[in-house]
Amino acid sequence: MSKIKMVINMDYLDKVMKDYNEVSDLVIKDIKGIKIIYLETLINQDKINDYILKIIPKTKIPKNIKNLLPSPNVKDISTYKDLKEYLDNGFTIVIHDKEIIAVETKGNLTRSIEKPTTESTLFGPKDSFIESIQTNVGLVKRRIRSNDLKSKDYTVGKYTKSIITVLYVDSIAKTEELASLDEKLNSIDIDGFYDIGQLKPYLVNDDKNIFPGLRITERPDVASKSLLEGKIVILMDNSPYGIIIPSFLGDFINPISDDYVKSLNINFIKVMRFLCFFFSIVFPAFYVAITTYNQETVPTSLLVNFQNQRMDVPFPAVIECLITLITCEILRESDIRFPSAYGSAISILGALVLGSAAVEAGIVSPIMIIVVAITFIASLIFTDLDVINAIRYWRFLFLLFVSFFGIYGLFLCFFIFIANISNYEVLGKPYFYPIAPFDLTYIKDTLFKMKNNKRSKVLSNNIIKGRDI
Amino acid sequence: MKKILVLLISIFLLTGCSDYTELENLGITSSLFVEYDTDYKITAEIYKDDEMEYLKARGSTISEAIHNFNFESKNDIYLSHLNAIILSEDVPIEEVLYYFLRNPNSNNNFYVVVTDQEDFYDEEENIGLMINNILDRSNRNDFFVIMRDYLNKNKDIAIPFMSKDFNLDTIATYKKDKLINNLNKEKTFIYSLLTDKTSEETLKINYEDKDVVVSIDNIKTDIKVDKNIQIKLDIDATILEKDENLDTFEAKTITDIEKKINGSLENDLKKFINTLKVDETDILGLNTLINNKYKKIDKTFDKYNYDFKVSLSINKKGQLLK
C-alpha cells in the first residue's frame, strides 16, 4: 500500500513538471529525498526557510515530517487537483516518501490597510478593505466578534480561481436569501474575475433598472453595519471592495458617517440629501419646462431676467441645456480618468475658463451655467458611480419628456420613474423600500436617524436588536 | 390589452402642452391700455431689456387687435404676466372682461383701472407694475373679483379710477357695462369700509380745534335687510397722531372722540348711499341681500330707507386713564 502511495507521489511530481512545463517561476528542490515544490512569485522565501528548510534534520529524517513543520497552516493533499490548487495559491508542496503536504508560505503581495478613498468621512474608522481577502474578512471579524458571523467560501473562474467569501450573521440574516445567493454563485461559469465589480450582473438582474441593486463599499464599518441589519456581504480576493446585498435606493443616499454625528443635526442633512437626489435629476428639466412651456409659473421679474440673459443665445433652451450638460459630463469623466495631479487644472479650466468663455461667446446663458452647476453640485453628494450614472440617465430622460410636454412631461416622466423603481426587486426585496412598501422601522435607520430598537422585517426574522433567538 | 395600451399612451402623449415658445420670443406684457372709438385701439407695454417698449394695434374686436400685434412686433404678445389693464372711459367693459375671462393665455390676478388720461406711458417706468403695486397695497379688487361681481346679475361693479399723476384713490361705478359715476375720495373710503377692504387706512378729525388721527385696525360690517336696510359698522381703532395739547389720558376725551368719529362716519355713509341711490348702481350687492331675504326683488335697494349705526372703539389697552 505504501509503495503504491509513493509511486502516486512520484507520479504527481512528474505531472507537475509536465503541466508547469513553461512556467518559469516553478521551483522544485530535492533535499535529502524531500521534494519541495513552489511558485517563486507567490511565496515568501523567509517563510520557506523558517517553516520547511530550517527544520529538515541534518541526520535522520523521520517518516512523518508533518509534525515537524512549525507552520500554522499545513494541509494534507489527497488528489492532484488539490495539489495544483494549493500550489497556485502560494503554498509550498512537500513530498516525502508516501507523504504529501501543502505548507502555507504565501508572499505578502498586498498593500497595507489605508484610508478609504471613495467613502471618506470626517469621523468614524479610517480603515478600508485591501486586496487580501483574509485581511478583509479579519477587518469585519474585528468588529463582529461572534461565532454567529459565518463566512462561506466559493471558488469561481476557470482560470482565475477567485476566492469569494460570503459573510452573514447566522442569527439575523434570512436563510432564503442565502440559498438564493448560493445558487447564483454556484452557477457562475466563466474564465475568471479580476474585481468584485464584475460579479454584480451574476447577482442581480439589472436589465429593468438603471439604479444599482447592490452596494459596493470599501469600508469594513459599512459592511459590519449591513451584516447586523440582516444583509449579506460578499468579498473577493484581489478586490478592495465588498458587495452588500440586498441594497435599497435609500441606502445609497445615506452614508455611514450619519451614524457618527448627533441625530438632530443629521436629520436636516438627510432630508436635504434626499431633496438633492431628486433635484439633481429634475432641475435642468424643470428649468427648460418653465422657460419654454410654462412661463406663467415664473415670477415676472425673474422671467424678464431669464429673457434678457437668453437674448443672444442662438440655440433653443433644450439644446443649450444638452450642450452644457454634455460638456460637464465630459469634464467629470476627464477629471476621473486623468491623474489626480492634473485633476485640479482640468477643473479650473473647465469651470472657470470654459464656462465664462461659453457665456461670452453667446453659446449658453449664465442662468444655464448656474442651473447645470447646481445640478452637478447636488449630484456630487452621491459617491457611488452607479448611482451617479443612473441619475444622469434619468436626468436626460426627464429632459426629453420636458422638451415635448413641458411641466406635464416632467410629471409624466416622474410617474414613470416612480413606477420603474417601485417595480424593481433585489433578491426578492422591493428596491424602493422603506418608502414603498412603507416601513417606519427601516426609515428610522436610513432616511432619518431616530431611536430604533427594531430590525426591518424585510431583512430579518430576528426583529428586536440585541436579542438572541 | 394592446388596444388599452395604445389608448393610454395616446392619452398621455397627445394631451401635452402644445404652446412651446422660446423665452426670447416672448413679448412679456406688463399692461394694456384699451381705448375705443369705432375700433379698439390697444397699446401694449412690453418688457425690453431694462426699459419698456410700447406697441400699438387696432381691431374691431379685442382679439383682432391683439392678433394684429403679431404684425407690429417680432415677439408674441404674452399676457400671462399682465399687471394691469387700463381702460379709457368709453370702452365697453363687457367685451374686455369676457375676453380676458375666456383667454387661457392670460392670468386673472391683474388689476383693471379706468382712466380719463391718455399719454401716461413712460419708457423708463413700468406703469403696469406701478399700478399693480399701488392697488395691491390699497387692497383693491383685482380682475378676478371684478369679474365675479360682474357675473352676479344683482350687483354692479366698481373699478379703480386713475386720474392725473397716477392718482388711484377713487373708484368708478358702472351700471352693467356703462360708466355712471366717479366717486370722490371720501365716498371711496366709505366703500372700502363697507367692503372690509381697508388697509393702513386712517381717519382725521378735529376735536376742540385739535387734530387727531386714528388708524383703523379692524372693521366688522353688518348689513341687514328688514323693513329698512340696517348698516352697522364696528370699528377697532388706535390713536396714531394727536395735537400735543390734547389730553388723551382723560377717559372722557376718548369717548368724545369716538362719538365724533361715529357721527361723522354715519353722515358720510348716508351721503354714500344717497349717491348710489341716485346713480342706481348697486356696487355693495344690496339687491342680492334683498333677493336672499325675500327670494325676489319687489323693491330695489334705492327704494329702501336706511338706518346707520357706527361703533368705533379706540384701543385703550396699556393706557392709564384718569
Side-chain angles (χ1 to χ4, degrees):
Chain A
M1 179 71 191
S2 63
K3 266 192 176 176
I4 295 168
K5 180 89 180 170
M6 224 170 101
V7 170
I8 289 171
N9 287 353
M10 288 306 113
D11 198 25
Y12 281 179
L13 186 65
D14 292 342
K15 272 187 174 176
V16 167
M17 289 169 77
K18 191 181 165 192
D19 287 351
Y20 290 79
N21 183 22
E22 286 186 4
V23 179
S24 61
D25 61 338
L26 180 78
V27 177
I28 301 174
K29 285 185 177 174
D30 188 342
I31 303 171
K32 293 186 179 174
I34 299 173
K35 307 281 188 240
I36 297 166
I37 311 163
Y38 56 86
L39 293 170
E40 205 173 19
T41 52
L42 297 179
I43 54 93
N44 181 339
Q45 197 63 52
D46 292 341
K47 282 185 183 173
I48 292 191
N49 282 337
D50 293 343
Y51 297 159
I52 303 167
L53 298 180
K54 279 184 185 173
I55 54 89
I56 293 175
K58 286 176 183 168
T59 53
K60 193 186 171 192
I61 297 166
K63 282 189 176 176
N64 190 346
I65 61 161
K66 186 182 174 186
N67 296 334
L68 282 178
L69 302 175
S71 169
N73 195 2
V74 180
K75 311 272 186 192
D76 283 318
I77 290 174
S78 51
T79 63
Y80 179 66
K81 191 183 165 207
D82 287 349
L83 184 147
K84 270 176 60 173
E85 197 174 313
Y86 282 117
L87 189 61
D88 290 339
N89 277 293
F91 280 67
T92 297
I93 311 298
V94 180
I95 303 173
H96 172 242
D97 204 5
K98 59 189 177 187
E99 198 177 12
I100 177 159
I101 51 174
V103 184
E104 204 260 82
T105 52
K106 272 182 194 174
N108 190 12
L109 298 179
T110 56
R111 62 195 164 96
S112 59
I113 296 169
E114 288 168 12
K115 281 185 181 178
T117 50
T118 55
E119 292 173 272
S120 57
T121 59
L122 275 178
F123 303 104
K126 300 287 180 198
D127 54 349
S128 68
F129 289 138
I130 57 166
E131 283 77 6
S132 158
I133 196 161
Q134 282 91 349
T135 311
N136 293 350
V137 172
L139 286 171
V140 176
K141 286 209 169 189
R142 212 164 69 177
R143 287 170 168 87
I144 303 173
R145 297 173 193 193
S146 164
N147 61 341
D148 260 3
L149 176 63
K150 307 293 182 193
S151 52
K152 192 174 175 189
D153 288 353
Y154 298 82
T155 306
V156 290
K158 187 183 169 188
Y159 295 104
T160 59
K161 294 185 177 60
S162 310
I163 299 164
I164 288 173
T165 302
V166 173
L167 292 171
Y168 60 95
V169 179
D170 200 25
S171 53
I172 299 175
K174 283 190 172 180
T175 46
E176 52 265 44
E177 275 139 47
L178 289 163
S180 160
L181 198 65
D182 187 69
E183 194 186 325
K184 283 172 197 280
L185 288 172
N186 282 325
S187 64
I188 295 171
D189 182 19
I190 60 161
D191 281 355
F193 291 109
Y194 27 88
D195 186 70
I196 200 161
Q198 293 172 286
L199 190 64
K200 286 188 208 173
Y202 296 94
L203 301 177
V204 287
N205 182 10
D206 266 329
D207 298 345
K208 284 184 190 168
N209 200 318
I210 197 85
F211 279 100
L214 31 81
R215 191 175 166 196
I216 292 267
T217 185
E218 59 169 346
R219 295 184 66 102
D221 52 340
V222 174
S224 307
K225 185 194 171 187
S226 303
L227 286 169
L228 294 179
E229 281 173 349
K231 293 175 184 168
I232 301 161
V233 172
I234 303 169
L235 299 169
M236 185 191 275
D237 206 11
N238 300 318
S239 176
Y241 293 96
I243 283 179
I244 300 166
I245 188 168
S247 291
F248 309 113
L249 186 62
D251 296 333
F252 294 94
I253 300 173
N254 296 286
I256 187 85
S257 58
D258 291 359
D259 289 14
Y260 308 133
V261 188
K262 192 173 162 63
S263 58
L264 264 176
N265 302 332
I266 211 67
N267 277 332
F268 170 74
I269 305 285
K270 276 175 176 280
V271 171
M272 205 186 63
R273 215 181 277 137
F274 202 69
L275 288 176
C276 278
F277 172 72
F278 287 104
F279 210 61
S280 59
I281 293 174
V282 303
F283 195 43
F286 179 71
Y287 171 76
V288 171
I290 60 166
T291 53
T292 54
Y293 283 97
N294 304 86
Q295 294 95 346
E296 69 278 1
T297 57
V298 188
T300 314
S301 53
L302 196 61
L303 189 71
V304 173
N305 188 1
F306 287 173
Q307 190 185 39
N308 290 342
Q309 292 187 36
R310 264 198 60 79
M311 276 302 175
D312 300 327
V313 181
F315 307 110
V318 182
I319 303 294
E320 184 195 2
C321 190
L322 279 173
I323 289 172
T324 324
L325 280 174
I326 290 169
T327 311
C328 284
E329 291 296 346
I330 294 168
L331 271 172
R332 190 209 285 269
E333 190 61 16
S334 60
D335 220 17
I336 294 169
R337 302 279 161 241
F338 220 54
S340 57
Y342 301 101
S344 59
I346 288 201
S347 301
I348 293 164
L349 187 78
L352 297 177
V353 182
L354 203 59
S356 61
V359 170
E360 277 178 33
I363 297 168
V364 290
S365 57
I367 185 69
M368 187 58 84
I369 298 276
I370 294 171
V371 167
V372 174
I374 290 173
T375 308
F376 268 76
I377 290 167
S379 71
L380 286 178
I381 285 175
F382 311 104
T383 50
D384 194 302
L385 203 60
D386 281 337
V387 174
I388 294 171
N389 290 342
I391 285 175
R392 179 177 53 219
Y393 169 87
W394 279 102
R395 190 185 295 145
F396 280 106
L397 203 64
F398 267 91
L399 203 59
L400 184 77
F401 269 78
V402 155
S403 64
F404 288 109
F405 302 108
I407 291 274
Y408 171 74
L410 189 88
F411 283 98
L412 194 61
C413 194
F414 188 73
F415 281 125
I416 296 170
F417 172 71
I418 294 292
N420 187 269
I421 52 174
S422 305
N423 191 34
Y424 184 36
E425 286 188 345
V426 182
L427 279 190
K429 313 285 179 213
Y431 190 58
F432 208 24
Y433 177 82
I435 296 171
F438 185 79
D439 184 3
L440 190 64
T441 313
Y442 200 59
I443 281 181
K444 284 178 180 176
D445 275 343
T446 51
L447 301 183
F448 292 99
K449 187 183 175 186
M450 295 160 89
K451 201 175 174 187
N452 186 20
N453 61 350
K454 285 183 182 173
R455 258 183 220 101
S456 154
K457 281 181 194 169
V458 169
L459 291 167
S460 175
N461 293 325
N462 181 0
I463 295 167
I464 308 295
K465 286 180 182 173
R467 191 184 70 172
D468 284 331
I469 55 165
Chain B
M1 186 63 197
K2 260 187 183 174
K3 280 180 188 170
I4 295 171
L5 207 65
V6 169
L7 197 69
L8 270 176
I9 292 170
S10 309
I11 288 169
F12 282 130
L13 300 185
L14 299 176
T15 52
C17 318
S18 58
D19 46 355
Y20 168 84
T21 323
E22 281 297 335
L23 210 50
E24 61 273 24
N25 297 331
L26 290 181
I28 304 168
T29 310
S30 176
S31 71
L32 290 175
F33 176 39
V34 186
E35 295 167 278
Y36 185 76
D37 38 36
T38 50
D39 280 349
Y40 284 96
K41 193 176 113 190
I42 301 180
T43 311
E45 184 188 33
I46 292 168
Y47 290 91
K48 190 190 177 191
D49 297 331
D50 295 331
E51 290 188 339
M52 305 308 288
E53 184 186 32
Y54 299 100
L55 299 173
K56 289 180 194 289
R58 288 185 80 98
S60 57
T61 59
I62 300 267
S63 42
E64 190 186 321
I66 286 180
H67 176 74
N68 285 342
F69 274 116
N70 292 334
F71 306 108
E72 300 289 325
S73 166
K74 69 181 176 73
N75 294 336
D76 301 335
I77 291 291
Y78 186 67
L79 301 174
S80 286
H81 286 265
L82 262 182
N83 287 311
I85 292 179
I86 307 153
L87 307 173
S88 69
E89 290 176 303
D90 44 11
V91 169
I93 195 160
E94 186 175 9
E95 271 197 49
V96 179
L97 293 181
Y98 273 107
Y99 174 80
F100 285 100
L101 181 71
R102 288 166 195 281
N103 187 350
N105 296 320
S106 151
N107 58 341
N108 55 18
N109 56 351
F110 54 84
Y111 285 95
V112 182
V113 296
V114 186
T115 187
D116 54 359
Q117 306 293 303
E118 279 181 355
D119 289 325
F120 48 82
Y121 277 133
D122 175 0
E123 277 184 10
E124 290 182 1
E125 191 88 54
N126 184 345
I127 302 299
L129 185 63
M130 190 173 77
I131 292 170
N132 191 294
N133 288 346
I134 293 170
L135 294 177
D136 210 32
R137 270 201 304 277
S138 50
N139 208 2
R140 292 289 158 83
N141 295 344
D142 60 13
F143 169 77
F144 190 77
V145 179
I146 291 171
M147 200 63 223
R148 193 189 60 197
D149 289 350
Y150 190 79
L151 293 172
N152 182 347
K153 61 179 182 176
N154 292 324
K155 199 173 179 185
D156 294 312
I157 56 169
I159 297 179
F161 190 87
M162 185 173 81
S163 48
K164 207 177 170 188
D165 298 329
F166 304 105
N167 203 337
L168 281 154
D169 54 5
T170 61
I171 53 169
T173 57
Y174 278 75
K175 180 80 184 163
K176 290 299 140 197
D177 59 346
K178 192 178 168 206
L179 194 145
I180 301 292
N181 198 352
N182 179 13
L183 301 182
N184 62 22
K185 201 176 165 183
E186 287 72 31
K187 284 174 185 158
T188 304
F189 174 67
I190 295 296
Y191 174 74
S192 302
L193 287 183
L194 289 170
T195 49
D196 295 348
K197 292 275 185 189
T198 51
S199 89
E200 299 170 17
E201 297 278 8
T202 55
L203 268 170
K204 184 185 157 194
I205 58 147
N206 192 281
Y207 175 72
E208 292 175 352
D209 289 333
K210 298 178 188 81
D211 284 341
V212 182
V213 178
V214 295
S215 71
I216 293 169
D217 301 330
N218 192 29
I219 307 168
K220 198 176 158 197
T221 310
D222 187 19
I223 303 176
K224 274 186 186 160
V225 179
D226 213 335
K227 199 177 169 189
N228 292 349
I229 293 179
Q230 295 153 12
I231 298 179
K232 196 179 164 197
L233 274 179
D234 287 320
I235 303 171
D236 295 330
T238 313
I239 293 178
L240 197 66
E241 210 178 318
K242 68 175 184 70
D243 191 290
E244 57 181 330
N245 299 318
L246 186 70
D247 184 6
T248 50
F249 291 106
E250 280 285 346
K252 187 179 172 298
T253 313
I254 299 287
T255 318
D256 286 351
I257 292 170
E258 285 173 348
K259 277 182 187 166
K260 186 152 190 185
I261 296 173
N262 289 345
S264 163
L265 283 177
E266 279 169 13
N267 198 30
D268 288 347
L269 264 172
K270 200 173 176 182
K271 285 183 194 165
F272 173 74
I273 293 293
N274 281 339
T275 310
L276 298 189
K277 277 175 156 186
V278 172
D279 295 343
E280 293 180 8
T281 51
D282 181 17
I283 58 173
L284 292 174
L286 297 168
N287 282 336
T288 311
L289 294 175
I290 295 164
N291 189 44
N292 289 349
K293 170 97 179 176
Y294 301 113
K295 310 295 174 204
K296 58 183 177 181
I297 305 172
D298 284 339
K299 202 165 76 166
T300 51
F301 81 98
D302 49 308
K303 308 286 188 305
Y304 273 82
N305 291 324
Y306 287 78
D307 298 328
F308 304 105
K309 173 77 179 160
V310 179
S311 308
L312 183 130
S313 165
I314 289 176
N315 185 7
K316 305 173 199 70
K317 280 175 193 164
Q319 281 196 26
L320 293 170
L321 297 176
K322 289 177 195 168

